[in-house]
Amino acid sequence: MDSTESTKGKESVQKRSPLDLIMNQLRRKASFTERKKPAVSRLFRPSESSDKRNVGIPEVKESEAKINDTDDEAGSVVGWGRVKQFVQKLGKTPHSQNLSLSHCDLTATDVVELATLLPFLAQLEVMDLSWNDLVGGSLKALTAHLQHVGKLRVLKLCSCRLTNQDLTALGEALDCIPLIEVLDLSWNVGVGGGHFRHFTEHLQPESTLKELRLVDCQLSETDITALSEALPMLSSLEELDLSNNKLSIKGVENFTSSLGSTPQLKTLNLSMCGLSKDSISVLGQALRSVPALEHINLSCNKEAGGGLTMLSTNLALLTHLRSLDMHLCCLSKEDVLALVQVASSLKELRELDLSSNKSVGETLQNLLQTLPISQITKLTLNNCALSTHACHALGTAMQMLKQLESLNLSWNKCVGENLKQFLEPLSPDCKLRELRLSSCNLTTEDVLQLESACQRGVLSHLKQLDLSYNGSVGDGGWMSLFGKAAALKGLEELDVSLRPSASLSVSPWLPALLEALPHLSSLTHLSLQHWALSSAEREKLEKILCKKNVILECDKLATATPKAAG
């Protein structure tokens, strides 16, 4: 297929099908006042303190002056009252500074209506119109009036089916919102296909934009070129998210050549971008020009294996790096050893995610010896083929992981029968908030060790505990754990689900759980999927959880004969 055909193919995605056109017309004909209010409302959260909110905003002025919103002659609502009516008909609660109309099925008619309301939203700072695909093609009706919301800082238009005309209108309106800092155009196919230049060509030097998100926009090499040419205008940029856009080696070269124009860049997200070993090498060279980087996400680039050896040398130059995510990158043993060589230079590193890289299992000990262990807050090592030797090394390191808040060891079978090594070193001042041990072949003894840790009070800050897919734990283990669960004062989420193929009875330990639940004052989510509950047992459980407003996840009613978990 030649380039012309390819372009036409992408443009066709933006066109409405006959059904879309018919439904759009029906929606436009429907009277706005006839639209039913959704059952669930979402609050608009103010961005400033309550003291500041009460200064000069329509809600307060209206209350103090007791303004009558109704025009007696026309019987229509005017001013801020019109804004309230518009927003409330969509099942939302209006606020003068934060307007979120995502998932509201807005039509082009609604966009025009909203545009006429902007003069009454002079204090507006955040506007979110995401997930309204009928907004596409009609954005100019709104952008033509953005001069009324000159304080706007955040604009989100995710999944709005934007067209090249919309991009042009948005670009032309940038002068009207001189304080804009966050722009999210993610999940709009029309941003790609060579159309992104319709927006970038309107950017002016010294733009105030700090965050630009273009997730899954099907950006082409032409679009990446347009972005690279625009980066010199974005000297204030702090976050750039290009996730889920296939980037060719040429595109990476073009893009990284301009990174030096964004000296304040702190977050770079290139997850699922199809980066190859060579792409990683090119990126590594570009890191020299962005020393302020604090967060790098290169996850889910399965062809990146072997490229870390060329990236790691330059990682050492990022003295402010706080988080590195390279999960599911098919890293080789040499890649991890290359990271080992520079780990000691990453003195500000707080979060490391190397999950779903099998080679980590045999190199973890080396890595733990060079990482700034004492300040790591998040360590994600699920599905890393950890060996017993690696578990022992991590157990020893737990004594130095004083700031650790999140530990994920799920899908590492060797954790079973070795959990004691991780729990015994924990001290009463342990900061652990998240512990995930799903599918770790845990035994009854392991859960008893967990119970002991609860009793010692070292898990009092724990908020998420995932023990799912550990069907080898005996009834005695669960009974003992729930017997001491009251010590988990801050626990919010608990998951002890079984594998889909399993079905065991909760009867032996359910009384212990029922007794513990009233003491788990912070619990909001309990998952017991694939456990067999009788109707009476489920009724007792739901009665307690209903009082505590806890979400329960379990099978509707397990009547099958319980079988081994396997």
Side-chain angles (χ1 to χ4, degrees):
M1 179 184 294
D2 59 28
S3 59
T4 301
E5 292 176 340
S6 177
T7 302
K8 289 181 178 179
K10 289 192 175 182
E11 288 179 347
S12 66
V13 178
Q14 300 302 310
K15 296 180 179 179
R16 306 285 194 271
S17 68
L19 180 58
D20 282 335
L21 292 172
I22 293 172
M23 294 304 295
N24 195 5
Q25 291 301 317
L26 289 175
R27 287 189 177 104
R28 295 184 189 198
K29 288 180 181 179
S31 170
F32 174 75
T33 57
E34 293 175 353
R35 185 175 293 162
K36 293 183 178 179
K37 179 177 178 180
V40 180
S41 298
R42 295 184 182 179
L43 297 178
F44 296 105
R45 302 185 183 278
S47 57
E48 296 185 8
S49 67
S50 57
D51 291 338
K52 293 182 179 180
R53 288 201 304 265
N54 290 335
V55 180
I57 64 175
E59 299 98 313
V60 177
K61 286 183 177 181
E62 201 172 45
S63 175
E64 293 176 348
K66 298 182 179 180
I67 296 176
N68 185 355
D69 287 335
T70 305
D71 184 323
D72 294 332
E73 294 183 5
S76 62
V77 182
V78 296
W80 175 248
R82 284 185 56 207
V83 175
K84 290 197 296 184
Q85 183 190 58
F86 180 83
V87 174
Q88 289 171 349
K89 292 294 183 180
L90 297 171
K92 306 287 186 174
T93 302
H95 191 279
S96 62
Q97 293 175 311
N98 193 328
L99 182 64
S100 177
L101 299 178
S102 61
H103 298 279
C104 282
D105 196 24
L106 297 178
T107 67
T109 303
D110 296 328
V111 174
V112 173
E113 175 89 7
L114 177 59
T116 66
L117 301 177
L118 292 186
F120 312 111
L121 288 166
Q123 304 300 318
L124 193 64
E125 295 184 7
V126 179
M127 181 158 59
D128 186 356
L129 304 181
S130 300
W131 306 100
N132 290 290
D133 60 8
L134 291 178
V135 168
S138 59
L139 193 61
K140 188 172 183 177
L142 182 69
T143 58
H145 297 272
L146 286 183
Q147 71 272 16
H148 298 295
V149 287
K151 294 184 179 181
L152 194 68
R153 295 184 300 104
V154 179
L155 179 59
K156 297 182 180 181
L157 296 165
C158 304
S159 190
C160 284
R161 203 180 290 188
L162 299 182
T163 66
N164 55 344
Q165 291 87 358
D166 294 323
L167 293 174
T168 298
L170 182 59
E172 292 175 343
L174 287 176
D175 288 340
C176 300
I177 44 176
L179 303 181
I180 192 71
E181 295 180 354
V182 179
L183 180 61
D184 196 341
L185 303 178
S186 300
W187 295 290
N188 282 291
V189 177
V191 171
H195 297 151
F196 191 46
R197 62 180 176 80
H198 292 290
F199 170 75
T200 59
E201 62 188 10
H202 295 283
L203 288 170
Q204 298 296 322
E206 305 304 321
S207 166
T208 57
L209 206 59
K210 292 184 178 180
E211 299 178 20
L212 178 60
R213 302 188 187 114
L214 302 168
V215 179
D216 196 12
C217 286
Q218 294 193 18
L219 299 180
S220 65
E221 193 171 300
T222 301
D223 298 311
I224 295 299
T225 299
L227 173 62
S228 64
E229 293 173 349
L231 286 180
M233 309 288 183
L234 304 176
S235 57
S236 299
L237 197 64
E238 296 181 3
E239 178 179 335
L240 179 60
D241 193 343
L242 301 178
S243 299
N244 206 18
N245 288 287
K246 183 74 173 179
L247 303 182
S248 65
I249 181 65
K250 182 64 176 176
V252 174
E253 290 175 347
N254 290 339
F255 156 63
T256 56
S257 66
S258 299
L259 276 183
S261 302
T262 56
Q264 298 185 50
L265 192 65
K266 296 179 180 179
T267 300
L268 180 60
N269 195 335
L270 298 175
S271 177
M272 294 183 68
C273 283
L275 300 183
S276 64
K277 174 181 176 180
D278 294 335
S279 299
I280 294 292
S281 178
V282 171
L283 176 62
Q285 297 172 14
L287 293 181
R288 296 174 177 270
S289 59
V290 281
L293 268 180
E294 296 180 3
H295 311 279
I296 301 179
N297 188 344
L298 302 176
S299 63
C300 303
N301 287 292
K302 296 183 180 181
E303 298 178 10
L308 193 56
T309 54
M310 293 171 277
L311 175 73
S312 58
T313 303
N314 296 297
L315 278 179
L317 302 176
L318 303 180
T319 55
H320 300 288
L321 190 65
R322 297 179 64 86
S323 69
L324 177 62
D325 187 346
M326 295 199 70
H327 79 264
L328 197 59
C329 281
C330 296
L331 299 181
S332 64
K333 180 179 179 180
E334 289 70 26
D335 287 325
V336 182
L337 291 177
L339 181 59
V340 169
Q341 297 300 314
V342 300
S344 59
S345 301
L346 306 178
K347 300 186 182 301
E348 295 297 319
L349 193 66
R350 298 292 189 273
E351 301 180 3
L352 180 62
D353 188 344
L354 297 177
S355 56
S356 297
N357 288 292
K358 303 293 185 181
S359 59
V360 173
E362 54 183 319
T363 53
L364 183 61
Q365 182 179 12
N366 304 81
L367 188 59
L368 292 174
Q369 291 173 347
T370 56
L371 282 173
I373 289 294
S374 61
Q375 58 193 31
I376 294 293
T377 60
K378 185 175 183 178
L379 190 58
T380 309
L381 299 170
N382 53 292
N383 195 27
C384 281
L386 298 184
S387 63
T388 301
H389 186 63
C391 284
H392 179 72
L394 181 56
T396 302
M398 290 297 292
Q399 301 176 16
M400 297 173 283
L401 287 164
K402 300 293 186 180
Q403 304 300 318
L404 191 64
E405 297 179 1
S406 175
L407 178 63
N408 190 338
L409 300 176
S410 296
W411 302 91
N412 287 292
K413 304 301 182 184
C414 73
V415 174
E417 299 183 347
N418 286 295
L419 192 58
K420 180 179 180 180
Q421 298 183 47
F422 307 115
L423 298 177
E424 278 197 339
L426 299 180
S427 59
D429 61 349
C430 173
K431 295 179 171 58
L432 202 60
R433 296 172 179 271
E434 179 181 14
L435 180 59
R436 299 196 178 277
L437 302 168
S438 177
S439 191
C440 282
N441 271 5
L442 298 184
T443 64
T444 299
E445 179 60 30
D446 290 320
V447 176
L448 291 177
Q449 291 297 327
L450 193 59
E451 175 231 326
S452 177
C454 290
Q455 199 168 10
R456 288 190 289 121
V458 298
L459 298 177
S460 58
H461 294 292
L462 204 63
K463 293 183 178 296
Q464 287 92 31
L465 178 59
D466 185 356
L467 301 175
S468 60
Y469 291 13
N470 285 292
S472 53
V473 176
D475 294 331
W478 298 123
M479 195 180 304
S480 297
L481 175 63
F482 295 133
K484 297 295 186 295
L488 299 174
K489 302 175 183 177
L491 195 64
E492 297 176 358
E493 299 178 15
L494 175 62
D495 191 347
V496 292
S497 300
L498 295 175
R499 295 179 183 277
S501 59
S503 182
L504 298 174
S505 174
V506 301
S507 299
W509 51 262
L510 184 61
L513 174 61
L514 294 176
E515 188 175 342
L517 285 175
H519 302 288
L520 299 176
S521 57
S522 300
L523 194 67
T524 61
H525 199 114
L526 175 63
S527 186
L528 299 174
Q529 294 193 60
H530 313 303
W531 284 97
L533 289 87
S534 66
S535 56
E537 289 172 334
R538 185 184 178 100
E539 185 178 347
K540 289 181 181 178
L541 183 59
E542 289 182 337
K543 185 176 181 180
I544 294 178
L545 296 181
C546 184
K547 293 179 180 179
K548 295 172 57 62
N549 198 27
V550 176
I551 297 174
L552 174 65
E553 285 189 10
C554 68
D555 300 340
K556 291 184 178 180
L557 192 61
T559 56
T561 303
K563 56 183 179 181

